Amino acid sequence: MAYVITQRCCNDASCVPECPVDCIRPTPEQPEFATTEQLYIDPDTCIDCGACVDACPVEAIFSEDDLVASLARFRDINAAYFQRHPLESNFEPITTPPRPPKDLGTLRVAIVGAGPAACYAADELLRRADVEVEMFDRLPTPWGLVRAGVAPDHAGTKRVSTMFESAFRRDTLQYYLNVEVGQHVSHEELVEHHHAVIYAVGASTDRRLGVPGEDLPGSHSATEFVAWYNGHPDYADRTFDLSGERAVIVGNGNVALDVARVLTMSPDDLAKTDIADHALDALRNSSIREVVVLGRRGPLQAAYTTPEFLALTHMKGVDVIVDEADLELDAESRALLDDPEVEPTLALKYQLAQEYAGAPRNPGHKRIVFRYLTSPTAIIGADKVEAIEFAHNELVPDASGKLAARATDRTETLPASLVLRSIGYKGRPVPALPFDEQHGVVPNEHGRVLADNAPLTGVYVSGWIKRGPRGVIGSNRVDATETVEQLLADFVQGRLPAPQSDRAALKALLAQRQPDLVDREGWKAIDAAERTAGKASGRPRVKLTSLEDLLKAARG
């Protein structure tokens, strides 16, 4: 018997160092770790000790004998990885990096942001140094996209916040929530009170299509829709037209699949999750029967991960539709599929599309329809969305030899009342920091912020604002480790000026600037209120979705 890593794998690699026989791959040191869809356990080497299970923050690892039907296929997925990448064990002992000498005193760090990137950075600092950490976020709640971005039916993925909560119990980390840097406190004041400042503010804007009709009522970003159904206070009052029978999602990454599931799931199933009440009410009255997911490239190049595509197999009352004509492969794609070095999940991604194309269909079911090789050219309507026009694409090699989508002159129009674009995120400029507009990131070298190609003393970045909007929640762990390594090296080498003011002075300043500041006790009160409301209705929590209600709960 062996253990198996399944769909909700967060890629944070907590399990890797815990394995006594070194049978989890890829590791953060391997090049393929940056692009892998999940981690895998070699069934022939696993000794069934369960150490990885205890280390997994999202409960993604199961004994193969305990796999439920929806996860059973992951037994073969794990084994297939090692058929293409035979295990070469490395039993070199894992060493703990040295802590900064005690005579340097306590390191003080401000972290701007409270999402996964910020939390992984804080956790790394707390484990590695004698440190005081202040964590700032403009919302009254922590956890960022774990709370406001992960789909409500992915409760396991949200459990990573439990790991953070456990790590942050001590007063060495203090919360300054409902505090906006640039409004309640300046960058210069953060520098004055700390040795270093880490910005982990994510990528909060979405990319636009740039086509006519994009601003018609009924056309939105998936970012707005996701924030709305997750109860983000900035989006709780939004409305979405669910009166038509068809919605179209432009883009086919994992966020697009999340949205497609939420639009087609049974409201009774959603009612068991932490979805916002206003969204649940709207979805109960929804008329949408079909969600069409448009992808720019072919089924092999689709942006969704194989585990998320596989999860659609087990949706109740929903047919997944793929046209067999969309599965014809050009020579380059066929060669890619046959490449023995390619991760086996790519072959499975194509196999799943074939299975969906050949599956029986029930006229009474809702539908998620995948259309490949398409690019929107216009959103059509008089005073609201009535249809979307798109061109059919072909794949051609670009200057680097990679396959790129090129529009043909063949177009198609599809009636729809709701269009959601899900084509990627982009970072916003951070006050007082340099910014790369083209890539939507703060210029940096391994996390050290660069101004005119020289490091900006004591200022660092982590997460999407550092590397761009790619990767999953756990990708931020390796990223944060790299940034913290640079920060600690700078501290040890005396490059970080000592703070001019202490922790008490900062607390007094912020209490004066923001009377509605939410600290640890305030967040615990919000959390308790939401969980108590959820317990009464058999849900994980009932989210408070207005700033007024959140602050009222924080005050107890």
Side-chain angles (χ1 to χ4, degrees):
M1 186 176 72
Y3 280 89
V4 177
I5 299 179
T6 64
Q7 175 197 338
R8 67 171 70 122
C9 177
C10 72
N11 288 31
D12 89 340
S14 295
C15 54
V16 172
E18 300 303 317
C19 178
V21 293
D22 189 35
C23 71
I24 303 176
R25 293 292 185 273
T27 67
E29 296 75 28
Q30 295 178 300
E32 55 267 33
F33 182 84
T35 57
T36 190
E37 292 190 338
Q38 65 167 84
L39 305 185
Y40 308 88
I41 294 175
D42 181 13
D44 295 332
T45 308
C46 177
I47 59 172
D48 190 29
C49 70
C52 56
V53 178
D54 295 334
C56 180
V58 294
E59 299 182 8
I61 306 178
F62 298 87
S63 163
E64 62 180 339
D65 290 346
D66 295 334
L67 292 171
V68 297
S70 62
L71 300 177
R73 204 161 183 169
F74 283 92
R75 180 189 298 110
D76 295 334
I77 292 172
N78 279 246
Y81 179 85
F82 292 95
Q83 291 170 5
R84 294 204 180 193
H85 306 277
L87 183 67
E88 296 179 2
S89 290
N90 174 15
F91 281 97
E92 292 183 6
I94 296 173
T95 59
T96 302
R99 298 171 68 89
K102 286 189 175 296
D103 59 5
L104 291 178
T106 300
L107 171 64
R108 288 189 37 74
V109 181
I111 300 181
V112 183
C119 291
Y120 277 119
D123 181 50
E124 187 74 8
L125 283 164
L126 292 169
R127 289 190 300 106
R128 295 277 303 276
D130 179 11
V131 65
E132 292 178 345
V133 176
E134 268 82 42
M135 182 175 286
F136 297 82
D137 199 281
R138 70 178 188 84
L139 294 179
T141 56
W143 317 143
L145 286 180
V146 175
R147 179 181 171 95
V150 174
D153 61 325
H154 280 9
T157 306
K158 295 174 184 279
R159 290 193 182 105
V160 70
S161 62
T162 303
M163 179 184 73
F164 298 141
E165 194 79 77
S166 177
F168 300 164
R169 284 176 180 167
R170 294 174 295 153
D171 283 341
T172 47
L173 182 141
Q174 294 189 354
Y175 294 105
Y176 288 100
L177 306 175
N178 201 38
V179 173
E180 187 166 359
V181 174
Q183 177 179 339
H184 301 114
V185 62
S186 69
H187 168 76
E188 291 75 17
E189 287 169 327
L190 291 182
V191 171
E192 178 185 333
H193 287 82
H194 301 87
H195 289 91
V197 183
I198 299 176
Y199 285 88
V201 294
S204 57
T205 60
D206 56 274
R207 299 185 184 276
R208 291 178 60 83
L209 297 172
V211 301
E214 186 172 7
D215 294 319
L216 279 170
S219 171
H220 309 268
S221 72
T223 306
E224 297 173 67
F225 191 72
V226 169
W228 170 76
Y229 67 59
N230 272 318
H232 192 298
D234 291 352
Y235 297 88
D237 61 351
R238 301 293 174 93
T239 57
F240 297 87
D241 185 359
L242 307 179
S243 63
E245 292 195 354
R246 178 185 289 126
V248 174
I249 304 172
V250 180
N252 61 8
N254 284 350
V255 172
L257 268 59
D258 287 346
V259 172
R261 285 198 321 278
V262 168
L263 283 170
T264 54
M265 277 181 68
S266 162
D268 289 340
D269 288 337
L270 283 172
K272 301 170 186 175
T273 73
D274 67 354
I275 190 171
D277 283 348
H278 58 253
L280 181 61
D281 291 342
L283 290 165
R284 284 194 184 280
N285 295 303
S286 170
S287 298
I288 291 175
R289 302 286 303 168
E290 178 178 282
V291 178
V292 178
V293 181
L294 301 181
R296 186 167 51 90
R297 299 189 293 171
L300 280 184
Q301 297 83 19
Y304 51 72
T305 60
T306 302
E308 289 299 317
F309 196 40
L310 173 59
L312 299 179
T313 305
H314 303 282
M315 290 188 68
K316 295 181 295 184
V318 179
D319 288 338
V320 179
I321 310 297
V322 175
D323 190 334
E324 288 185 356
D326 282 349
L327 300 182
E328 296 179 7
L329 297 180
D330 55 81
E332 289 84 356
S333 295
R334 176 59 63 183
L336 180 65
L337 191 62
D338 294 338
D339 184 349
E341 296 300 317
V342 167
E343 192 169 347
T345 50
L346 183 66
L348 179 58
K349 182 183 283 189
Y350 184 70
Q351 182 183 341
L352 287 169
Q354 290 177 309
E355 292 175 7
Y356 289 138
R361 295 162 188 178
N362 186 327
H365 284 179
K366 294 180 181 179
R367 296 157 46 104
I368 299 176
V369 181
F370 287 86
R371 300 290 302 271
Y372 301 99
L373 292 169
T374 62
S375 289
T377 53
I379 298 174
I380 301 168
D383 52 7
K384 64 177 184 177
V385 170
E386 297 173 7
I388 184 170
E389 179 190 81
F390 55 87
H392 291 262
N393 296 335
E394 59 183 359
L395 290 178
V396 296
D398 61 16
S400 65
K402 295 182 179 180
L403 291 176
R406 182 176 67 187
T408 67
D409 57 4
R410 187 162 65 96
T411 62
E412 185 177 338
T413 300
L414 195 64
S417 59
L418 178 67
V419 173
L420 300 170
R421 64 183 183 275
S422 182
I423 56 173
Y425 297 93
K426 188 176 182 180
R428 286 179 173 170
V430 178
L433 297 191
F435 191 71
D436 181 343
E437 289 283 357
Q438 180 180 355
H439 298 99
V441 299
V442 172
N444 71 93
E445 184 175 24
H446 304 302
R448 288 188 180 101
V449 172
L450 299 178
D452 298 323
N453 294 319
L456 198 59
T457 301
V459 187
Y460 306 83
V461 285
S462 190
W464 281 2
I465 198 65
K466 169 186 174 184
R467 70 181 187 275
R470 60 183 182 275
V472 292
I473 286 174
S475 306
N476 293 292
R477 179 172 187 164
V478 174
D479 198 46
T481 299
E482 179 186 59
T483 294
V484 170
E485 285 281 358
Q486 311 308 309
L487 191 159
L488 292 180
D490 290 344
F491 180 55
V492 170
Q493 293 168 21
R495 296 174 183 157
L496 304 181
Q500 299 173 36
S501 301
D502 61 12
R503 176 173 254 192
L506 176 66
K507 191 170 187 176
L509 172 69
L510 290 170
Q512 179 183 5
R513 297 268 184 86
Q514 172 53 308
D516 289 326
L517 181 153
V518 176
D519 58 11
R520 181 190 307 277
E521 293 306 313
W523 158 239
K524 286 172 66 175
I526 293 172
D527 187 43
E530 292 184 339
R531 290 179 183 274
T532 299
K535 189 175 182 179
S537 52
R539 301 170 65 185
R541 68 175 65 236
V542 174
K543 287 180 178 175
L544 301 170
T545 61
S546 74
L547 183 61
E548 180 182 0
D549 288 343
L550 286 162
L551 294 180
K552 183 178 179 181
R555 300 184 192 107

